[in-house]
Amino acid sequence: ESMLSRIRAFEYSQKNAVLVPVAALGVGGVLLCWLRSGHKIKTIDMGDGWWGSGERPLKGKEDASIRPFKIETSDKEIEDLHQRLDRFRFTPHVEGAAFHYGFNSTYLRKVVAYWRNQFDWRKQVEVLNKYPHFHTTIEGIDIHFIHVKPSYVPHGRAVRPLLMVHGWPGSFYEFYKIIPLLTEPAKHGLNEGDVVFEVICPSIPGYGFSEAPHQREFDSIATARIFHKLMNRLGFKEYYIQGGDWGSRITTNMAQMLPQSVKGLHLNLVFIARQSLGKLIRTMLGAYVPWLVGFTREDARRFYPFMQKNVYDVLRESGYLHIQATKPDTAGCGLNDSPVGLAAYILEKFSTWTDKSFLHQDDGGLESKYSLDELLTNVMIYWVTSTIVSSMRYYKENFSKDPDLSAHNRIGVYVPTGIAAFPQEIVHIPRVWAKDVYKNIITYSYMPSGGHFAAFEEPKLLAQDIMQFVQKVEQL
């Protein structure tokens, strides 16, 4: 009897050894089918739009040609600028003001003197024209972009298309330092595997040399759609995309809109809304037991003290946002009429958004990271195109529909994503929070230095991170 019971027990265990895995596979298969059928990845509807003047034409197709474009200037343009700079009215600042009240007026006087007497706009136009510029008409407006291909591609290396999108108050010019690192990495000591790019940098409509929308409600969704159409028009079926500031929002929308076209998304700023009880509790606990809420030590260092870094600093730096999100034309018209006002308004952001400690310096630390030629060239792109007003309107069009920029967070981003977290960025978003929206984070890098204008300030660091991210995606 003892032997028989052992034999039966053995037979029973053998049956279980077969049945349990079979049952598990069956349940798993059913679950997978259910997930695929009932839980398809949500996407943003691509839709369509018309941003030209007047009604959309009923007949005829849009001109889809790609037209070479060249930036030009004239004696008249430069003389007008000089006359306006000559009429600069100096306003003394209070003692010890530094940049606490905004742009320090004594340093502004130095900037204006350099602009008037030493800055060579004709020379900078030549610098801007060193890369190929183009125009093409999409949804009724002319879209400006630069398209830079590598001059030499080593044998066996594939060229990956990369769309890079700027923000405010930047421009396509922000990418001039990083473009050669991405298109000719070997020349600059960046031998990251087999990664070589051709880079496309468009100007957001209403910025620089892209025509401003003539209709209301032109937001990041419309921009994302237009940039997908641009890449398709250039012959690309799949491509990488990268952005910071508004560029982050636009490229995120692109990934949510046509994930099948986006091979990878790389960001140096992440928009994540924090309005939830769960996040509040995690924020409180994270100050004492960061590991319990998924924060790393570096997250805790960058995130706390919470009120100082996430409330007071943000409030201090976001006054412009409230103006631009409500009544942009009022302040904008004044800036469009005064080059000095425009420079003060824009360059102040390149101070404190680059490094918060620059607030305490009389010159805003501007020349420690950039040259005056670089800074004034970016300002001139807004000045000569009269686009400061239309660029400011972009805030109203986006915030009026989505006050905390969180509406699209309910649609996850499933394309491979890389995040470069720069220490001086306006806000820090830990990886554990970024995962709420970006479901497939391949790389998350704590960058050693740099702020909001990453490509402009730390081009090599950003280029390395993009390359490492793309290399990992290509190996998937």
Side-chain angles (χ1 to χ4, degrees), residues 123 140 161 175 271 359:
K123 179 183 175 182
F175 302 116
F271 291 102
L359 194 72

Side-chain angles (χ1 to χ4, degrees), residues 216-217 325 394-403 405:
R216 296 174 62 180
E217 301 186 356
Y394 202 64
Y395 285 76
K396 183 172 179 63
E397 305 296 15
N398 281 284
F399 280 96
S400 60
K401 294 179 183 178
D402 186 8
L405 297 184

Side-chain angles (χ1 to χ4, degrees), residues 240-255:
Y240 288 93
I241 54 180
Q242 199 282 331
D245 196 84
W246 280 123
S248 169
R249 166 90 164 182
I250 293 163
T251 52
T252 294
N253 290 161
M254 290 178 73

Side-chain angles (χ1 to χ4, degrees), residues 65-83:
S65 64
I66 307 291
R67 305 177 296 277
F69 171 75
K70 189 176 181 180
I71 299 171
E72 296 178 342
T73 188
S74 64
D75 290 340
K76 184 178 179 182
E77 184 175 74
I78 295 170
E79 287 169 9
D80 176 70
L81 172 68
H82 286 174
Q83 288 171 8

